[in-house]
Amino acid sequence: MTATSKTSKSNVPGEKTTTRPVGAQPLPGADLDSTAHIMNRISSQLATQLSLVSLDGRRRPEPPALVLVAHGSRDPRTLRTVHTLVEQVRELRPGLPVHLGHIELNEPLLPDTLASLGTGDAVLVPLLLSRGYHVKRDIPEMAAAARARTLVAGPLGPHPLLVETLHARLVEAGWPTGMDETTRRTSAVVLAAAGSRDPEAAVDTGRTAHLLSQRLGVPVVPAYASAATPTVDTAIRALTARGRDRVAVASYFTAPGLFATQCAEAAPWIAAAPLGTHPAMARLVLHRYDQSLATATTPAPQLASA
């Protein structure tokens, strides 16, 4: 007599169905994976809710919102990268309100994001790598015009977490993790950045180049896609003239775009991807947020407002 089979369906989306003979006992642990997954989700959500409640049962004040300020770009890859970074920040800090605002070109624009916060508290973290006009003028002026009480964090760079990301991107592109002395003497890196007329932007980029050079053990020369010198091509030619014929281009851009593509195309050897959504980037965004709150001269309820 042939035993019939019975199909067991799972209520968990995406989980496979299982088939076993009628009357057979379920295999030990067969349903444990799905149960554990559900319990983990419940525990995570419960922990987030409990973090908002103090020991005496009163609801803790909501922390100031984090507003990630991106420049904006016509390249759809940039917008996708920024949205992914926002989600990474949310995952690292459950319970923290995280919003996005653009200086130009993409929605939501920063003034609209700030308007949606009403008179709430917020820390604006520029997704920019150095000081310059946007950090010094554009963002503070938009913040001052809003009803929300705001702090404006400094740019992401320079910082060791950026060097960690640059190094990882170079290794992904083919930079050797081990290098003999002969190879080291013929290797170099051009740190390709957007460029700015503000001399402090060059200081910040130069500091990052110095930190990366220490990490790699080879010369790292900052170069720019616009508004500053040297250009990437000029920097590559200068290094080649010094006997450095293995020149890599490190992409000091937060996301893919026109400048990053042009700089990569100039690479005579390897070209690294932009910083993008490397895990260190989300950690750095939260570090700038925490740093701004810790160094504020006035408590959060007294944040600057229009």
Side-chain angles (χ1 to χ4, degrees), residues 7-292:
T7 299
S8 299
K9 293 186 178 180
S10 168
N11 292 324
V12 180
E15 187 166 305
K16 295 180 180 178
T17 59
T18 59
T19 302
R20 68 173 189 271
V22 173
Q25 294 299 315
L27 293 174
D31 296 323
L32 291 182
D33 287 344
S34 59
T35 302
H37 175 69
I38 294 171
M39 292 304 297
N40 284 338
R41 289 181 59 187
I42 294 173
S43 298
S44 176
Q45 293 170 0
L46 181 60
T48 298
Q49 294 301 316
L50 288 176
S51 69
L52 302 177
V53 180
S54 62
L55 293 177
D56 60 6
R58 291 181 298 180
R59 188 174 181 84
R60 289 193 179 101
E62 189 174 73
L66 188 161
V67 178
L68 191 63
V69 184
H71 182 277
S73 171
R74 293 183 177 87
D75 191 317
R77 296 174 299 171
T78 301
L79 193 57
R80 289 195 297 268
T81 299
V82 172
H83 279 295
T84 300
L85 183 57
V86 168
E87 291 305 315
Q88 289 176 329
V89 173
R90 286 174 177 154
E91 290 174 4
L92 285 177
R93 190 73 59 88
L96 174 65
V98 181
H99 304 272
L100 174 63
H102 295 91
I103 297 172
E104 60 181 357
L105 298 177
N106 298 122
E107 294 181 348
L109 293 172
L110 180 56
D112 296 330
T113 297
L114 294 176
S116 72
L117 300 177
T119 57
D121 300 329
V123 177
L124 281 57
V125 180
L127 192 57
L128 301 169
L129 301 173
S130 63
R131 290 169 290 179
Y133 188 82
H134 293 312
V135 171
K136 293 179 178 180
R137 294 289 301 276
D138 281 343
I139 298 174
E141 287 178 358
M142 292 179 190
R147 295 171 62 219
R149 295 172 294 184
T150 61
L151 291 171
V152 180
L156 297 183
H159 194 276
L161 285 172
L162 289 175
V163 176
E164 176 185 331
T165 306
L166 288 165
H167 179 263
R169 293 299 190 220
L170 282 167
V171 171
E172 290 169 0
W175 184 271
T177 54
M179 188 178 290
D180 59 54
E181 191 57 34
T182 300
T183 304
R184 191 179 304 279
R185 286 198 297 267
T186 60
S187 301
V189 172
V190 169
L191 183 64
S196 170
R197 293 183 178 85
D198 190 320
E200 288 187 320
V203 171
D204 291 344
T205 305
R207 176 61 179 161
T208 299
H210 176 71
L211 293 172
L212 184 59
S213 177
Q214 289 182 320
R215 177 73 178 268
L216 297 173
V218 301
V220 177
V221 177
Y224 305 97
S226 69
T229 56
T231 64
V232 173
D233 285 331
T234 300
I236 291 171
R237 286 196 298 269
L239 286 167
T240 303
R242 291 160 47 189
R244 304 276 177 173
D245 53 9
R246 286 165 51 92
V247 180
V249 172
S251 187
Y252 199 41
F253 300 95
T254 55
L258 177 62
F259 283 166
T261 300
Q262 291 175 341
C263 292
E265 289 173 348
W269 178 31
I270 59 174
L275 302 166
T277 56
H278 186 279
M281 296 299 289
R283 298 190 343 247
L284 180 53
V285 168
L286 285 169
H287 170 70
R288 291 300 188 214
Y289 170 87
D290 294 334
Q291 187 180 49
S292 294

